[in-house]
Amino acid sequence: QEHLVESGGGSVEAGGSLRLTCVASGFTSSWRCMAWFRQAPGKEREQVAVIDSVGFTYYADSVKGRFGISKDNGKNSLYLQMNSLLPEDTAMYYCAARVYWIPDCDGTTRDEFPYWGQGSQVTVAS
């Protein structure tokens, strides 16, 4: 059975950095898209960053220049490096994976990702 497990969340002051890790297990096929989403209380879950099977990356405008998504296929791991954190980055962060092929991972919505982790809380104090 497929599992995604996030780690690395926590509490930091504004301007600080955190690195989230997502470890995948049980997958029998390669990923097409892997993404980080976040959801703040009372808000919709939004995509933060996505990386496709050949390594192209896409970011939400709100995090461009501050966040970096990467993966290590050998370790079955997905990462999100978050720098210059802002209070508005406070949210539960989820990793998500899609195996089946689509032409473009950019613009994918939560409904297009069948596999999800349990979430990791990130809190940024002002």
Side-chain angles (χ1 to χ4, degrees):
Q1 189 173 2
E2 301 87 354
H3 289 286
L4 298 172
V5 179
E6 301 99 333
S7 62
S11 298
V12 294
E13 294 187 353
S17 298
L18 284 172
R19 187 191 195 208
L20 301 180
T21 298
C22 173
V23 179
S25 62
F27 286 85
T28 58
S29 299
S30 299
W31 310 320
R32 173 58 182 129
C33 313
M34 290 203 77
W36 289 96
F37 286 75
R38 68 184 180 187
Q39 188 167 18
K43 293 188 176 181
E44 294 290 319
R45 190 171 298 188
E46 62 172 350
Q47 189 181 92
V48 173
V50 61
I51 185 167
D52 70 15
S53 53
V54 296
F56 288 114
T57 58
Y58 310 92
Y59 297 93
D61 288 342
S62 59
V63 305
K64 280 181 182 176
R66 301 189 297 121
F67 289 13
I69 188 171
S70 61
K71 62 178 180 171
D72 185 332
N73 291 334
K75 294 182 179 180
N76 293 325
S77 294
L78 178 73
Y79 307 99
L80 185 68
Q81 178 66 44
M82 304 183 291
N83 300 324
S84 301
L85 282 161
L86 304 170
E88 48 263 46
D89 294 319
T90 295
M92 185 71 78
Y93 283 71
Y94 300 89
C95 73
R98 177 186 176 92
V99 173
Y100 296 108
W101 187 85
I102 52 173
D104 195 349
C105 294
D106 187 23
T108 44
T109 66
R110 60 181 295 182
D111 293 339
E112 296 175 275
F113 289 86
Y115 303 106
W116 291 85
Q118 82 289 351
S120 183
Q121 178 66 38
V122 172
T123 302
V124 184
S126 57

